[in-house]
Amino acid sequence: MKKLISLLVIPLVMIACNQKQADDGHGHSHGHGGHSHGAGGHSHGADDAHAADEKFKETLYNDTHEIFVEFDELVVGDKSTFLAHYTRLDNFRPSMSGKFYVEAHKGGKVVYRSKKFKMKSPGIYEGDFVVKSEGTYDLVFVLETRDGKISKHTRKGLDVHDHAHGVPGHGHEHGEEVTFLKEQAWDVGIQLYNVKLSDFNYAIKTSGKVLPSRGNFEIITAKSSGIVKFVQTQLDNGSEVKKGTSLFRISGKGLLENNIDNKYVELKSNFEKNKAEFERKSTLYQERIVSAKEYEEAKAQYESDKSKYDNLVKKYNKSGVAIKAGIKGNIYDLAVNDGDFVEEGQEIARIISSNKVRIQVDIPLNNYDLVKDIYSMNFKPAYGKKVYTMDEVKGKIISKGNTAAENSGFVPVIFEVESSELVAGSFVECWVHTKKLQDKFVIPKSALVEEQGNYYLYATHGGETYLKQVVTILGDDGKNVMVGRGAWPGQWIVSKGAIYIKVASTAGTMPVHSH
C-alpha cells in the first residue's frame, strides 16, 4: 500500500511544482500567458500576454493520432511559427519518430508545403510556414512515421490576408476549465475515450464465491492416524504443487495407540513370518506331504500380508508415512495445521488441478424474474482492483437456480471461468448482465471522479484544456457506466488519470512547458 501511495504522490507533487513555477516566473511557456522556444526564440512575459494569445490553437483527431498545434496567424509573406504535439491513440504516448510538415490546400490541390519540421523532443515538432497569396485554404498537417505510414489531419477553411486580422475570440465561458500540458499528460499516463452511442449491459449488483470446478481437484486424506508434519513449511492455500511432490508426513512417534511405527513393525513381522511359512509349505506341497487346501491357505495369507506391507513401505520411512500430490495444481482448503493429530481417512487438503473454477453468484429474490435473462457478468475479486469480463476468462454459465438456496434468500447462478488469479474460497463482487440496452451514452467507469457524493468527468476542450462536467449515472456494469447527462457523442473525455487533472485544478496557477 505504501508503495502504491508513493507512486501516486510523486507525479502529483511534480504537477503542483510545475503549476507554482508559472507564478514564480520560472520555466518557459507557450500558448497560456507566455511563449518561448529556446535561447534563439522569442518570448513574452506577463506584460505581453495579449500577444501570446494571438495564436490559433487546433486539436484534431484521426484513427491513429491526436494533434494539438499552435501557430501564429497566417499573413501573406510572413513566417508563421507552428508548434505541434503528436499523441498516438493506441497508447496515448508521444509519437517517438517521424517527419512533420504543413501543407496549404486549395481546390483539393497542394499550393504550398513547408519544409520538414525538426522534432524538439518526443512528440513535439516546431518550424515555420509561409503562404504567399491571399485566399481561403485547408491546412493539412502531415506526419510521416518511421514505418512509412502517413497520418494526416485537416483544418478546413482558414483565411489568409495581406495584413493581420487577429485570432478569433473563444466566445462564451464553458464553466470550470483546467489547463494540463501535453508533456504532463504523457508523463502521468492520461488516456482519452471518444464518447459514442453504444450498447449497455443492464446489470444486477451482487456478490459471489469462487469454488473449485467439479472433477478438477484431488482430495488428500490421511493414510494412517498420527501427527501430521508439513514437508514444505511454506505450504498454504494457493501454493502451487507438482504431481508426485511430497506434501505431508504422518508419524506415530510418541503415540500409544494408532502408532504407525508400531503398525509397520507388526506388518513387517507378519509378512516375514508368513512368507517363510508359505515357502515351507510350497516345498512340502511339491513332495505331496501337505494338501492343496493347506498350500492355498498359506499362499493367500502370504499374499495378503505382502500387499499390506508393500503398500505401507511405499509411503513409510523412519519419519513416517509420506503423502504426495497425485496431480499438478494448487492447494485449496488446507484443513490442518503442522503438528495436528489426524485420523486415518481424515481430509487434509484439496488440490485444484487446473485454472478452471466456478463462481456461485447469489441473486436476491427480488430480482428472481430476471434470472432467466442472465447471459453474462463482470466481476472483481475482493482482494484486487481489476474488473474481469467473461471474454477475458473464457467464462460461461453452467446453471441457473429455480429456487432459493436453503436459508439464504438468494437464487444461485453458477459460472465457470479460467483464471490462475482466482483463489477458491474467496469472494468476488459481481455485476450480472440481464439485458442489453441499445444506443445509450456509455463511458468507462474509470473516467468518473467522485466529490461529496456527486460524480463528474473531465472532457477535452482544446489540446491542453479540460472541462469539468457533472454526470448522472443511470447504470453500472462494473466496467462501464450509462450516463443520463454530462457526456455526448463525439466528445473526448479523460478515461484514465482524471485524478491528476483534479489535482491540477486545485493548484490555481497556469502550468508551464518544459521542452
Side-chain angles (χ1 to χ4, degrees), residues 40-302:
H42 54 283
S43 63
H44 306 277
D47 294 337
D48 200 12
H50 177 72
D53 284 338
E54 292 296 314
K55 285 188 172 297
F56 283 86
K57 300 181 181 69
E58 300 290 344
T59 306
L60 304 168
Y61 298 86
N62 60 21
D63 291 339
T64 58
H65 291 85
E66 174 206 71
I67 180 175
F68 169 58
V69 59
E70 298 174 285
F71 56 95
D72 303 316
E73 179 185 6
L74 286 168
V75 177
V76 173
D78 290 350
K79 287 183 179 180
S80 175
T81 299
F82 282 68
L83 188 70
H85 299 69
Y86 265 98
T87 303
R88 292 174 51 176
L89 294 182
D90 60 345
N91 60 10
F92 294 93
R93 300 291 299 156
S95 181
M96 301 300 290
S97 63
K99 299 176 181 179
F100 171 71
Y101 53 92
V102 182
E103 296 176 342
H105 290 213
K106 184 181 288 187
K109 296 182 179 180
V110 179
V111 181
Y112 301 105
R113 176 181 290 141
S114 72
K115 294 181 179 179
K116 292 178 179 177
F117 291 7
K118 294 181 179 179
M119 180 186 288
K120 290 176 62 67
S121 58
I124 301 176
Y125 300 82
E126 184 179 38
D128 296 326
F129 184 43
V130 178
V131 175
K132 298 180 179 180
S133 60
E134 287 188 272
T136 300
Y137 297 88
D138 293 338
L139 286 188
V140 179
F141 306 104
V142 184
L143 178 70
E144 294 181 0
T145 60
R146 181 180 292 177
D147 57 5
K149 295 180 180 179
I150 303 294
S151 178
K152 292 185 177 183
H153 298 81
T154 303
R155 197 288 194 190
K156 293 183 176 293
L158 185 69
D159 293 326
V160 178
H161 302 282
D162 60 1
H163 61 279
H165 276 227
V167 177
H170 297 294
H172 62 277
E173 293 294 325
H174 292 276
E176 184 177 334
E177 292 186 352
V178 183
T179 298
F180 201 82
L181 304 183
K182 278 297 174 190
E183 295 96 317
Q184 290 176 316
W186 292 334
D187 287 343
V188 301
I190 297 294
Q191 295 188 10
L192 305 178
Y193 174 77
N194 189 215
V195 180
K196 50 187 175 294
L197 288 172
S198 58
D199 293 343
F200 179 74
N201 300 306
Y202 180 79
I204 301 170
K205 176 72 178 299
T206 186
S207 62
K209 186 175 182 180
V210 181
L211 305 170
S213 287
R214 293 179 181 176
N216 287 323
F217 62 91
E218 176 192 37
I219 298 175
I220 299 175
T221 59
K223 306 307 178 185
S224 66
S225 299
I227 305 300
V228 63
K229 289 290 184 180
F230 287 21
V231 175
Q232 302 178 31
T233 57
Q234 302 299 319
L235 193 68
D236 207 338
N237 285 321
S239 297
E240 185 176 356
V241 297
K242 296 181 179 180
K243 182 178 179 179
T245 300
S246 291
L247 304 176
F248 312 98
R249 285 194 177 277
I250 298 177
S251 171
K253 188 176 182 180
L255 298 177
L256 296 177
E257 297 181 359
N258 297 320
N259 190 316
I260 187 63
D261 299 321
N262 293 340
K263 185 176 181 180
Y264 170 76
V265 172
E266 180 184 348
L267 286 178
K268 182 180 181 182
S269 175
N270 290 339
F271 166 67
E272 291 176 344
K273 181 184 70 174
N274 288 308
K275 178 183 179 183
E277 179 65 11
F278 171 62
E279 290 174 346
R280 186 180 72 82
K281 287 192 175 181
S282 294
T283 302
L284 295 176
Y285 176 66
Q286 292 175 0
E287 297 175 355
R288 301 183 181 273
I289 297 174
V290 299
S291 65
K293 181 181 178 181
E294 289 180 281
Y295 169 76
E296 292 296 335
E297 287 176 351
K299 180 181 178 182
Q301 186 63 52
Y302 160 71

Side-chain angles (χ1 to χ4, degrees), residues 320-331:
V321 174
I323 300 179
K324 299 181 179 181
I327 58 175
K328 178 184 177 181
N330 296 85
I331 295 292

Side-chain angles (χ1 to χ4, degrees), residues 410-451:
F410 294 93
V411 178
V413 176
I414 309 296
F415 291 82
E416 186 173 73
V417 302
E418 293 184 22
S419 174
S420 60
E421 298 179 12
L422 291 178
V423 178
S426 64
F427 291 91
V428 293
E429 191 175 0
C430 304
W431 293 265
V432 184
H433 304 163
T434 61
K435 54 185 173 181
K436 197 176 288 292
L437 306 178
Q438 296 181 330
D439 296 330
K440 301 299 179 183
F441 292 153
V442 180
I443 64 173
K445 193 174 179 179
S446 57
L448 298 178
V449 178
E450 191 269 340
E451 188 176 273

Side-chain angles (χ1 to χ4, degrees), residues 448-462:
L448 298 178
V449 178
E450 191 269 340
E451 188 176 273
Q452 297 181 343
N454 297 315
Y455 290 92
Y456 58 91
L457 54 77
Y458 288 102
T460 60
H461 187 61

